[in-house]
Structures are given as C-alpha cells and as structure tokens.
Amino acid sequence: MLNDPSPSRRSVIPLVPQVEFDAALVRRMSKNGPRYTSYPTADRFIPGFGPADYRAAVARSRGGMEHGLSLYVHIPFCASLCYYCGCNKIITQDRTKSVQYLQYLEKETDLQAALFAGRNRVEQLHFGGGTPTFLDDEQMSNLLAGLRARFRFAPDEKGEYSIEVDPRTVSALRIHTLRRQGFNRISLGIQDFDPNVQRAVNRVQSERQILHVMRAARSAGFRSISVDLIYGLPLQTVQTMSATLDKVIAANPDRIAVYNYAHLPHLFKSQRLIESSQLPTPEAKLEMLGLCIKKLNEAGYVYIGMDHFAKPEDDLALAQREGRLHRNFQGYSTHANADMVALGVSSISAVGGCYSQNEKTLAAYYNRLDRGELPIARGISLNQEDLLRRDIIGRLMCDFELDFDTVALPEGLSFEQCFASELEQLRQLEEQGLLSVSERSMKVKMRGRLLIRNICMVFDQYLSAVRMEGPAPLRYSTTI
C-alpha cells in the first residue's frame, strides 16, 4: 500500500529548546517557498483526482496497520472581515446560512463514515474556519452528537479535541460549554494587542476580552491554550510588538504561534484593504522576529519549528524530544500515523497516500452532495518518490536532522546515489552556515532552524532548478 516509507519512525532525539537568530543570515537567505504542511504541496493537486481515487486510497489505507483517525471540520462563516486573512471564509451576519451548511455537512459525514466503518476510532478532532463559534451552542452540540454517532471517539484523557475561537464571539459561559461539549484544547487569535494595529486590520478586540477568555479556558479545564500572533501588520513597530509579547507571556499560554504576515493582495482580495504604505519595512519585520525569538526563549518556551513555540512540558515539545512529532495541514501534531479526514467546504484530507480537497464554494459543495457524491474537487495520489521525499521533508521540519541510514531507499541504492544533486545543494547551504552534512547524516544548526523551509526545498522535486535560482514564485510567502 502507499504509506509512510518508514512507519517505524525515528529514535529519541534530544533537542536544545532554543533557536539562534542570525539577522544577516536570514536577510541573505530568505526567499519565497512552500510551508510544507504537505508534500507534495497543495498547488500540485490536480482536478483529475476525484471521489473514485479517494475511495481507492481509503481501501489501501484499510489494508495496512490500523491507526486512529484525525477529523478536521471546516466552518467557513465569519461575522466580520479581518483584512489580513487568507483563509477560505464567508463573511455574513445571516446566522441562517449555518443551518443549511450543517445539513450538507451531515450528508458529507455520512459518506465519509461509511467508508471508514469498522475503522473509525477518532483520536484527534479540530474545528477550524472561518469562525467555528459562529455556530450557536445547540448547533455545536448537534454537530458533535452527529460525529460521535458515526465515529468512535477516544476518551477525553487520550484524545486531542481542539477548536479555534475568536475572543470577540464568546463569553466565559460559552467557553465552559465548549469544554462540556468535549473540546479539551483551544486556540485564540490575538494577532496584536495594539489598538491602532487592530483598527488597521479590522480586528478590534480588547485586552480584557482576550484575557477573560483565557482565564475562562483555564477555569473550564482545557488542557492546552494556544494563541496566534502576527508580525508585519500595518502600523506595527518593534515597540508595539514588544508590548504585545510582554502581555502574551504574562498570560502564560501553553503554545504560541508567531506568524509572518505575507502581504499577497494579488491572491487575497481582503488584503487589498490594507494600506501598503502602513506596512513595516523588511528591516523592521526582521527586528520584530528577532525580538519574538529573544523574548520567548527568555520566557522558557521551546522553539518547535516554523512559527511555533511551546512550553517544555507541552505535548508538542515532548513529542519533538521523543522523535514522534508530525506536520500536517493544521501545523505540528503528535498523531503521526493518523489518516486525516476533512469535512466541509475547501477542507483537505490526507488518507492512504493521497491528498484530496473539497470544492471551494458553497454552491459547488452543495451541488456535489445533492448528487450523492463526495465533494472532492482535486487532489493527488502520491507515488513512491513522493512518499520518500515527504518522509525526508517531514523529518527535517520536525527534528531538524536526518540519519541517512534510516531513510527507506530503493533496495540496493545509497542515499548518496539517490540524492547526489540534493547533497550538492546541501553543501552549498552548509557553506552559508545553515547546517552540517556528514557521510551518514545531516543536522540543521541552531542558526539555520529559522530557514528550515529553504533546506526542505532542496528535496522538493516539483521545484525546478530554474525556480530555485530564479524569480521567487508569487504564490508562496517568504521563508522568513
């Protein structure tokens, strides 16, 4: 079957809970590239992939070792527009829209549940969007009851059940209700505490609102609280970013994601509402990044990778130290072998050596389900070369090192034979100070960890040599 070519996973890897910020190196090496929440990346999905291909992938998955499932549920609705957002969302004040959407979501759930009958233990659940709390308490309860009727959920102490929350849309009572409904992890979008920055991106929320929600989550017994920040927003300065970081650290979340704002108005219409003249300069953004790393390191957070930091005792940090960290469409995860079944408009599944994405518009999504079809618009089936490179990229993204002897190469071939050109490129990056390469392994240096995307791009066979050296692809954000 098509699956991870090295399912045994790697040995325990002790990691230093720091990352080194080298401004000159970042300035010199940053370029546009994929974020590698999947490999191949989503821009490689093809419209020729459809429901029949997905069913075949599920059949292949059922023929292998049984692992738990990860469910992703996409709720696309938001009551207001955040100008920076690049997510697939629908801005509406009409709450009746969610009624129809939930009816169709139930149809899709029925189709997916039938495919996984007898192998339907869910160990991970994530509600994203949009704004999942656009749904009211009764709608959320009914949706969760429907999922539990069709899938077997691991008990609360074993499963990871998370939801993204807009602090402006929930009360303390709602937070306690979400915990009773079964969620045990919560993620909040802060972005920035500064009122001027908030107004510039149309996301006005008070510090009191945010801290009130975080306190309620602690009181309700959520196992993990995660917050999102963004640097590079309009009117942001190093000083305002410093103040925001101080407040976040004082609030003591378990995980902190610090995203680089990618201004891509040619791709995202909402970003055209941002005054480009108000954006900080590249040098100011670089200084903000250095400040984030310095403050979070000093506060005792572990650098997990990419944009993510966590407390040393957090599950992500533990998984990284034990060599079982995984990366998927939701970012970093501790459930490495779980097939991901995604429900809802635009959502992406990863099952049995394939990726599949649902229709991106409600009309197309509803139309496919009215015909009794899985609403799959495009996807890709991975070949053995894809699987091999996915494993390598995944290890580098999670572990920052690679033992060549543990890579599941074609029989009779060595790593050097299979990846001669890649090793040559790696040695060039070694000369730049990003990593060290020996005969049997490679290891990313502390000063190279921020540029892990650059390193992974070496193993991406879909990025041509011309693209690697030529103009930056406009569909990708900068690696830093």
Side-chain angles (χ1 to χ4, degrees):
M1 87 180 205
L2 289 175
N3 215 322
D4 188 336
S6 59
S8 61
R9 203 57 166 118
R10 52 261 187 200
S11 59
V12 173
I13 303 168
L15 289 173
V16 178
Q18 303 292 323
V19 59
E20 183 180 335
F21 177 68
D22 185 327
L25 180 65
V26 171
R27 189 182 297 112
R28 185 171 70 248
M29 298 299 297
S30 184
K31 60 181 179 179
N32 292 50
R35 293 181 60 82
Y36 293 115
T37 51
S38 72
Y39 180 83
T41 51
D43 56 308
R44 304 297 170 183
F45 296 179
I46 58 174
F49 184 101
D53 301 288
Y54 179 79
R55 292 177 186 277
V58 174
R60 289 193 298 269
S61 178
R62 292 181 71 95
M65 185 181 300
E66 182 171 339
H67 299 288
L69 298 178
S70 174
L71 289 185
Y72 171 71
V73 182
H74 188 76
I75 307 297
F77 306 109
C78 290
S80 62
L81 176 66
C82 301
Y83 295 164
Y84 56 80
C85 184
C87 299
N88 187 285
K89 72 276 184 185
I90 297 167
I91 308 302
T92 181
Q93 296 283 341
D94 183 0
R95 300 284 166 168
T96 64
K97 286 185 178 292
S98 59
V99 175
Q100 183 181 26
Y101 183 74
L102 289 171
Q103 292 170 348
Y104 279 92
L105 196 60
E106 184 175 17
K107 291 183 179 182
E108 185 188 7
T109 304
D110 282 335
L111 294 174
Q112 288 280 13
L115 293 177
F116 289 91
R119 210 214 101 184
N120 61 356
R121 177 181 166 89
V122 172
E123 296 180 350
Q124 189 175 45
L125 172 71
H126 183 77
F127 273 51
T131 305
T133 47
F134 186 91
L135 305 182
D136 62 31
D137 287 346
E138 183 179 2
Q139 289 174 324
M140 185 69 75
S141 290
N142 290 338
L143 174 54
L144 289 166
L147 293 174
R148 292 191 181 100
R150 293 164 176 82
F151 296 91
R152 295 180 297 116
F153 279 69
D156 181 78
E157 63 273 14
K158 294 185 178 296
E160 292 186 2
Y161 307 130
S162 63
I163 185 168
E164 298 172 10
V165 166
D166 180 342
R168 300 170 298 175
T169 67
V170 293
S171 63
L173 179 61
R174 181 76 194 271
I175 294 298
H176 280 262
T177 299
L178 289 171
R179 182 67 184 99
R180 287 195 301 271
Q181 288 171 330
F183 294 104
N184 54 30
R185 296 177 180 272
I186 193 168
S187 175
L188 286 74
I190 294 178
Q191 322 317 347
D192 194 296
F193 275 116
D194 187 84
N196 293 324
V197 176
Q198 291 181 358
R199 284 191 290 269
V201 296
N202 199 40
R203 172 104 182 195
V204 178
Q205 52 189 13
S206 70
E207 179 181 347
R208 179 182 177 184
Q209 279 179 303
I210 294 167
L211 297 181
H212 183 64
V213 170
M214 294 181 70
R215 285 193 294 269
R218 291 287 184 212
S219 173
F222 278 85
R223 290 212 305 267
S224 175
I225 298 173
S226 175
V227 301
D228 294 345
L229 303 176
I230 300 178
Y231 69 94
L233 293 174
L235 301 182
Q236 264 183 341
T237 66
V238 175
Q239 291 72 31
T240 63
M241 194 72 209
S242 180
T244 288
L245 285 166
D246 288 342
K247 292 174 181 178
V248 169
I249 290 168
N252 199 32
D254 301 284
R255 300 176 185 178
I256 301 173
V258 186
Y259 297 108
N260 169 23
Y261 171 63
H263 190 57
L264 302 170
H266 60 286
L267 294 180
F268 308 115
K269 290 183 179 180
S270 62
Q271 294 187 357
R272 298 171 194 172
L273 298 170
I274 288 177
E275 291 288 343
S276 58
S277 62
Q278 295 182 343
L279 294 172
T281 65
E283 281 301 309
K285 285 184 69 176
L286 198 58
E287 194 174 348
M288 288 180 204
L289 173 61
L291 179 71
C292 290
I293 292 168
K294 178 177 182 294
K295 281 185 172 288
L296 293 178
N297 279 344
E298 290 175 349
Y301 285 88
V302 176
Y303 179 69
I304 301 299
M306 291 289 290
D307 327 273
H308 289 70
F309 295 78
K311 290 182 178 180
E313 65 274 15
D314 185 84
D315 286 347
L316 284 185
L318 294 174
Q320 188 172 59
R321 290 199 296 273
E322 295 169 0
R324 52 184 179 82
L325 191 65
H326 178 64
R327 186 162 172 80
N328 60 27
F329 291 105
Q330 275 72 62
Y332 288 99
S333 168
T334 60
H335 291 257
N337 294 312
D339 281 329
M340 178 179 289
V341 179
L343 304 168
V345 64
S346 81
S347 61
I348 302 176
S349 297
V351 174
C354 84
Y355 299 119
S356 62
Q357 184 170 25
N358 281 350
E359 297 284 359
K360 291 186 176 182
T361 68
L362 286 184
Y365 176 74
Y366 292 164
N367 184 52
R368 295 290 293 275
L369 287 166
D370 279 337
R371 301 204 304 261
E373 300 175 0
L374 286 167
I376 295 170
R378 63 180 190 141
I380 187 170
S381 293
L382 280 62
N383 57 37
Q384 291 300 323
E385 183 75 10
D386 292 331
L387 292 166
L388 174 60
R389 291 174 181 268
R390 179 177 73 171
D391 179 55
I392 291 171
I393 289 172
R395 294 199 207 184
L396 290 172
M397 293 291 290
C398 295
D399 302 339
F400 299 113
E401 64 179 47
L402 181 67
D403 181 345
F404 300 157
D405 291 334
T406 65
V407 178
L409 301 168
E411 188 173 353
L413 295 179
S414 67
F415 191 90
E416 187 173 13
Q417 288 173 310
C418 290
F419 298 105
S421 64
E422 287 83 358
L423 284 168
E424 179 60 32
Q425 294 179 63
L426 290 174
R427 291 189 178 97
Q428 293 174 19
L429 295 179
E430 184 177 31
E431 292 174 0
Q432 296 289 339
L434 272 70
L435 49 85
S436 59
V437 183
S438 68
E439 287 188 4
R440 305 294 353 130
S441 67
M442 59 177 287
K443 186 169 185 176
V444 182
K445 294 182 177 180
M446 292 297 169
R447 62 201 297 262
R449 289 185 174 190
L450 288 173
L451 292 158
I452 189 63
R453 289 162 68 182
N454 295 55
I455 297 168
C456 290
M457 287 166 70
V458 169
F459 291 97
D460 189 337
Q461 66 177 341
Y462 295 94
L463 291 175
S464 67
V466 173
R467 186 175 293 132
M468 289 284 287
E469 301 298 331
L474 292 177
R475 64 178 172 271
Y476 299 134
S477 61
T478 54
T479 51
I480 288 294

